[in-house]
């Protein structure tokens, strides 16, 4: 559907947006990229045929980090934000996938109250997000390529986790794993008094 829209140089209809919104990325589906897995052979061949080399490499790499966030978790986070009076302004979703946190945002975070900004490294996910949220400002690149210091009122999302680092000159000296890098950079990107609301684990808390 995404490739068809791009070939026809047009935005998605409501029905096409419904199709695109069901894309959840490749988290945990590494078998689809393994030519030796007989029971995944059809999917492997489809992917090789559909995607460019760069898109294929990015999709395969995302199997470690692109995990879907259940709507119930997102709704609970927005309820907590409303409880503390955070209901709009400039809203950032870094590592946004196709924008689950935009799609499930509460009504108080509508386009009158909130200006939506997103960042997504994976090209296909980011381009789908652009079709789903044409009024949002979405950058299809790594978080390390963006810098809007003291700009956002809220950063919200489910960031990548792993024992590896992102190269970003401003943060390299800290030697943070990728999840703690996202937290630290997000703290710098929100204004004083802004809020960072991320899904996390005890590993971030312990750090």
């Amino acid at each position: 559907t995404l490739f068809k829209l791009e070939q026809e140089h047009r935005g998605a209809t409501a029905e096409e947006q419904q199709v695109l919104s069901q894309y959840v990325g490749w988290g945990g589906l590494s078998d689809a990229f393994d030519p030796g897995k007989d029971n995944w052979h059809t999917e492997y061949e489809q992917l090789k045929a559909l995607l460019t080399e760069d898109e294929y490499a990015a999709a395969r790499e995302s199997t470690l980090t692109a995990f879907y966030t259940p709507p119930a978790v997102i709704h609970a986070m927005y309820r907590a934000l409303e409880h503390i009076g955070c209901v709009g302004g400039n809203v950032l979703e870094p590592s946004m996938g196709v924008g689950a946190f935009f799609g499930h945002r509460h009504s108080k975070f509508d386009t009158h109250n909130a200006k939506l900004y997103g960042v997504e490294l994976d090209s296909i996910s980011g381009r789908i997000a652009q079709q789903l949220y044409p009024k949002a400002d979405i950058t299809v690149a790594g978080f390390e390529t963006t810098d809007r210091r003291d700009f956002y009122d809220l950063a919200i999302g489910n960031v990548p986790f792993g024992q590896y680092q992102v190269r970003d000159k401003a943060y390299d000296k800290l030697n943070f794993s990728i999840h703690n890098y996202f937290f630290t950079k997000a703290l710098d990107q929100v204004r004083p008094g802004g809020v960072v609301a991320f899904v996390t684990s005890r590993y971030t808390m312990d750090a």
Side-chain angles (χ1 to χ4, degrees):
T1 301
L2 173 68
F3 295 155
K4 179 186 174 191
L5 293 169
E6 290 177 341
Q7 285 165 1
E8 296 176 2
H9 303 288
R10 64 179 178 83
T13 65
E15 285 180 2
E16 288 165 334
Q17 285 184 326
Q18 184 58 37
V19 171
L20 292 172
S21 70
Q22 295 175 64
Y23 180 79
V24 294
W26 295 100
L29 292 172
S30 58
D31 285 355
F33 298 87
D34 186 344
K37 287 280 183 355
D38 290 342
N39 54 332
W40 286 86
H41 184 70
T42 303
E43 289 83 357
Y44 172 79
E45 292 292 339
Q46 282 180 327
L47 281 172
K48 289 293 278 186
L50 263 176
L51 307 183
T52 67
E53 280 187 33
D54 287 347
E55 289 167 346
Y56 183 87
R60 183 177 57 202
E61 198 171 296
S62 76
T63 59
L64 296 174
T65 57
F67 288 94
Y68 180 66
T69 309
V73 172
I74 299 171
H75 294 159
M77 291 169 70
Y78 277 114
R79 282 197 301 273
L81 289 167
E82 287 187 29
H83 184 69
I84 63 171
C86 178
V87 292
N90 293 330
V91 178
L92 168 68
E93 185 181 354
S95 189
M96 71 181 295
V98 298
F101 284 82
F102 286 177
H104 292 285
R105 69 188 186 277
H106 282 197
S107 57
K108 289 184 181 176
F109 287 83
D110 65 18
T111 47
H112 297 296
N113 290 333
K115 172 74 172 143
L116 304 178
Y117 296 82
V119 181
E120 173 52 39
L121 174 63
D122 177 64
S123 170
I124 291 175
S125 299
R127 282 149 50 202
I128 289 175
Q130 288 173 332
Q131 290 284 351
L132 292 174
Y133 308 103
K135 292 181 180 175
D137 182 334
I138 296 172
T139 302
V140 183
F143 193 31
E144 68 276 10
T145 68
T146 68
D147 188 18
R148 286 188 168 109
R149 193 166 291 251
D150 294 341
F151 177 77
Y152 300 104
D153 298 283
L154 168 66
I156 188 168
N158 187 354
V159 299
F161 281 73
Q163 292 306 312
Y164 57 95
Q165 296 174 348
V166 173
R167 296 269 72 89
D168 185 333
K169 200 158 81 172
Y171 299 91
D172 284 348
K173 64 182 181 296
L174 300 171
N175 294 316
F176 280 155
S177 55
I178 187 168
H179 40 283
N180 291 344
Y181 161 76
F182 267 80
F183 269 83
T184 306
K185 180 156 183 163
L187 285 167
D188 286 340
Q189 301 290 292
V190 300
R191 62 170 176 73
V195 177
V196 175
F198 288 164
V199 176
T200 187
S201 73
R202 67 179 178 84
Y203 297 106
T204 294
M205 305 300 284
D206 289 349

